[in-house]
Amino acid sequence: MTLTPQKSASPLLVIIAFATVYLVWGSTYFFIKIAVVGFPPLLLGGLRFITAGILLFIWCMIKGEKIFIRRNMIHAAVSGFFLLVIGNGAVIWAEQTLPSAMVAIMVSSPPIWFVLLDRQNWSVNLKSTSTVIGLIIGFVGVILLFSEQLEGLFGASTGNSKLPGMLLLLVGSVSWAGGSLYSKYFNTQGSASVNTAWQMLSAGFIFLPSAFLHHEVQSLQWQNIPASSWYALLYLIVFGSIAAFSAYVWLLQVRPATQVSTYAYVNPVIAVILGVLFAGENISILQIAGLVIILGSVLLINLSKYRKEKQAKMALVAVK
């Protein structure tokens, strides 16, 4: 397999894409929480991604894009599995029991995993003092997020432990970073829209049979699903999947992966605000502290990247 070179893009389109990923994805945690009130998790994932994938395919056909390219389909299916089935699936499953704000805080760590999994750039990233310090600080933040549940696990705790859901989210975050890097380096020469459609459709066709095997479909009483869950599903399909995920996949093709990962700055903040204001969720001081520490580590991790890009541009201008 050959690595996909980074493409050039309009600065305005890059800004719009970043804004879409930042704001819309921050709100999806809130809407997933509403959706899982009426839909079981595996069925929710199946309905969301199959519908979004089909709609995106129709759009690609209208535009006359090439769709059935075997190599592209395989790469998109692999990245879709890691991004959507494991990464997003962990979020959907965890939000059955965890507050949406806590889930958003827990999955704010992908930039840490981006650096550790991006083997191609180890020689650059791991020689940067700010990146290494950022990684260390980031892991402190992750440990801080787990501290309350670990104390409850080994001490006298009442109520159900949130630790299983939190560990699942940690696995999902690692998978999301790995799938993103695969999508960036090995995903295809096709358009971002076609790649995204195949990613979502492949994920949907894993979620939906799993929902049947788990007896979610057979036991579901469709007439009892509240209207709010249907509206939330519609939002997730149109904005969360088609708009924001398409923008994310496109950004991975035109911008450095660590820069794209800066969505982690904004997403948890939006999710916490929505969860606290509209869902009555409570966030502990330790969780807020963990979020602040992780976001600080993300800043340090990306700081060296920004400096190198600026120096490269200045050197290019000097040559000209």
Side-chain angles (χ1 to χ4, degrees), residues 71-89:
R71 185 182 63 176
N72 295 6
M73 293 163 61
I74 293 173
H75 289 325
V78 172
S79 58
F81 175 78
F82 286 106
L83 284 166
L84 300 178
V85 176
I86 300 181
N88 196 265

Side-chain angles (χ1 to χ4, degrees), residues 111 130 134 262 265 293-304 306:
S130 63
T262 56
Y265 289 125
I293 290 173
I294 289 176
L295 296 187
S297 76
V298 174
L299 175 62
L300 285 171
I301 287 171
N302 285 282
L303 188 61
S304 62
Y306 298 148

Side-chain angles (χ1 to χ4, degrees), residues 257-279:
T258 48
Q259 190 177 107
V260 179
S261 72
T262 56
Y263 70 87
Y265 289 125
V266 182
N267 284 178
V269 177
I270 299 294
V272 168
I273 291 172
L274 291 175
V276 171
L277 292 181
F278 297 104

